[in-house]
Amino acid sequence: MVSISILKFRRIFYTIEPTTSCKTYGAFRHCHSGSRGSSRNFDNNPNLSPNEMLCRVGIFWDLDNKPPNSIPPYQVANKLRLAAASFGVVRYMVAYANSHTFNYVPHVVREMRKERKMLFGLEDKGVIKRNEPHVCCVCGRKFYTNEKLVNHFKQLHQRENAKRVNQIESARGSRKVKLVGKYSMKMEKYKKAASAVLTPKVGYGLADELKRAGFWVQTVLDKPQAADIALQKHMVDMMDHRRVECVVLVSDDSDFVDVIKEAKLRCLKTVVIGDISSDGVLKRTADTAFSWEEILTGEDKKEDVSVVENWKDRDILKRLEWTYNHDVDKKKLNLDDAVGETSGDDDIEDIFDDVDDDYKDDKGAWWELDG
């Protein structure tokens, strides 16, 4: 009797099967358990069944049209990812914009910077004193003024992070992979702390914050509609290679109507996220649509369940529909004709065999008539 054991280490499974050899105790069979986001998305969305988890979702963000002006970019990116995870496994997150969008600082951010600069200036002069000291998010040291915290961060942690980056860039092959795995947690911790302590020299850290949230950010030329054209090509390429089954577009631009129609013709699920104040052409074309407010407040989750159920019913109806396949029907028709022809020939041969048997029973020649 053969017994099989399954061992799970993180997200990798090993199957141990006994072998007939006396020297070996078992053969290991290795297989990945799937994508990293599949188990996480299933835990966050218990309403989804395993069959629905196979739906691959891609988020395509038009930053020129829908930038997160008054909301922290990292927070918006996470909200979008959680909203898209209600429709399946989020495999691709793409954002396109020109350099002007990344260099632009919204009015709300400028006002917040002015207030912080004024407050920190009063702290340095001793006019006001904080009840709680400033804490370094990397090492945990405490400082009573923001100036000392910034100096400490630049002199120690910024230099250490620069050394790590140089080591990774100078390494090659397996050593580079090991260094990335070794410093990944420390670099992620540094980026999170730097976004709160340091003020970006250009813009307000839009690209870095989106990359930290997992988005693939691409900068295009400063030309009209350059980001729209590049994003449309990326979406069509994803559809051509069948990498997504659900397209989530973050934009209000009506230029994307043709791409959404193309996605629907290819039987893909389409979702549009934008403002309600728009003309609604893009939202009427897509299967479903949400506003920024619904995404940020989490109200979209109430409709996500009904949307997924409607898609599920639509898929069932499509499977029940009869479709005409010329090649298959032609093969069946040829087989039926061949069977019919064969059966007809067999009947004729049987008739002639009966006639021959009748003539064989006669004792005289065939030309002699009976008297």
Side-chain angles (χ1 to χ4, degrees):
M1 182 176 180
V2 180
S3 61
I4 298 176
S5 302
I6 298 177
L7 302 179
K8 178 181 178 183
F9 300 98
R10 293 184 180 179
R11 289 191 175 90
I12 301 177
F13 293 91
Y14 290 90
T15 304
I16 305 177
E17 298 179 355
T19 59
T20 56
S21 175
C22 298
K23 296 181 180 180
T24 58
Y25 294 95
F28 283 86
R29 182 178 299 174
H30 170 270
C31 61
H32 289 281
S33 63
S35 63
R36 293 183 302 171
S38 59
S39 60
R40 181 176 64 240
N41 289 332
F42 184 76
D43 295 337
N44 294 337
N45 301 278
N47 296 328
L48 293 178
S49 63
N51 293 331
E52 294 168 355
M53 293 303 298
L54 298 177
C55 180
R56 295 170 295 180
V57 182
I59 305 175
F60 303 93
W61 194 349
D62 182 12
L63 287 173
D64 286 352
N65 183 264
K66 296 300 298 178
N69 291 327
S70 59
I71 310 169
Y74 184 78
Q75 180 182 352
V76 177
N78 285 329
K79 292 286 186 179
L80 287 174
R81 180 177 55 82
L82 291 176
S86 302
F87 307 116
V89 182
V90 180
R91 292 291 183 87
Y92 303 96
M93 297 190 296
V94 182
Y96 277 84
N98 54 31
S99 59
H100 175 73
T101 303
F102 294 118
N103 297 336
Y104 174 74
V105 180
H107 178 72
V108 178
V109 179
R110 291 198 299 267
E111 293 296 328
M112 290 177 59
R113 287 181 179 180
K114 289 181 180 179
E115 293 178 1
R116 289 181 59 184
K117 187 176 181 180
M118 185 182 300
L119 179 63
F120 294 152
L122 295 175
E123 285 184 358
D124 297 337
K125 295 179 181 180
V127 177
I128 60 174
K129 187 176 181 180
R130 291 174 58 92
N131 296 329
E132 296 180 358
H134 298 277
V135 180
C136 178
C137 297
V138 178
C139 62
R141 292 186 60 181
K142 299 179 180 180
F143 303 90
Y144 286 96
T145 60
N146 182 72
E147 184 179 2
K148 292 183 179 180
L149 172 62
V150 173
N151 293 334
H152 159 77
F153 197 87
K154 290 181 177 179
Q155 294 175 2
L156 182 62
H157 303 303
Q158 194 173 30
R159 291 180 179 180
E160 289 180 351
N161 186 71
K163 291 180 181 179
R164 298 190 192 104
V165 173
N166 293 332
Q167 288 183 10
I168 293 174
E169 291 180 351
S170 61
R172 295 291 183 274
S174 60
R175 174 172 172 76
K176 186 172 185 178
V177 176
K178 291 180 181 179
L179 289 176
V180 171
K182 180 180 178 181
Y183 295 140
S184 60
M185 296 295 294
K186 294 181 179 180
M187 295 180 70
E188 182 66 22
K189 189 175 183 180
Y190 168 81
K191 290 179 181 179
K192 185 177 180 179
S195 62
V197 176
L198 303 179
T199 301
K201 296 180 180 179
V202 179
Y204 64 111
L206 175 60
D208 294 336
E209 289 296 291
L210 294 182
K211 290 178 181 179
R212 189 164 70 92
F215 270 83
W216 185 78
V217 182
Q218 183 67 22
T219 306
V220 298
L221 299 176
D222 293 333
K223 294 182 179 181
Q225 306 298 325
D228 296 349
I229 295 173
L231 186 58
Q232 289 174 9
K233 290 182 179 179
H234 198 140
M235 295 173 67
V236 172
D237 182 70
M238 287 286 187
M239 291 187 286
D240 289 340
H241 292 84
R242 299 181 180 179
R243 293 177 180 174
V244 293
E245 287 87 21
C246 179
V247 175
V248 179
L249 177 63
V250 185
S251 178
D252 285 331
D253 197 344
S254 59
D255 293 338
F256 289 94
V257 172
D258 294 336
V259 180
I260 296 297
K261 288 182 179 179
E262 180 66 21
K264 295 186 71 175
L265 288 175
R266 302 189 186 197
C267 299
L268 300 181
K269 303 172 180 65
T270 54
V271 181
V272 172
I273 298 175
D275 289 331
I276 302 177
S277 59
S278 62
D279 55 357
V281 176
L282 193 60
K283 294 184 177 182
R284 289 196 301 268
T285 307
D287 294 333
T288 185
F290 301 99
S291 64
W292 272 116
E293 184 178 358
E294 291 175 341
I295 297 297
L296 296 177
T297 57
E299 295 179 359
D300 61 297
K301 294 183 179 180
K302 299 178 182 179
E303 300 181 10
D304 289 346
V305 179
S306 60
V307 171
V308 173
E309 291 296 330
N310 292 335
W311 285 345
K312 186 177 179 181
D313 296 340
R314 187 180 66 181
D315 294 339
I316 293 174
L317 292 175
K318 285 183 178 180
R319 287 196 298 266
L320 294 176
E321 289 180 357
W322 177 83
T323 56
Y324 174 73
N325 193 331
H326 177 71
D327 296 333
V328 175
D329 292 346
K330 186 176 180 181
K331 289 180 180 179
K332 291 182 179 180
L333 183 61
N334 293 336
L335 289 175
D336 294 339
D337 293 343
V339 172
E341 292 174 358
T342 304
S343 60
D345 294 340
D346 293 340
D347 295 339
I348 294 173
E349 291 179 359
D350 294 338
I351 293 172
F352 282 110
D353 290 339
D354 294 339
V355 173
D356 293 339
D357 293 338
D358 294 337
Y359 281 113
K360 288 179 182 177
D361 293 339
D362 295 338
K363 293 181 180 180
W366 63 272
W367 61 83
E368 294 180 0
L369 300 177
D370 295 336

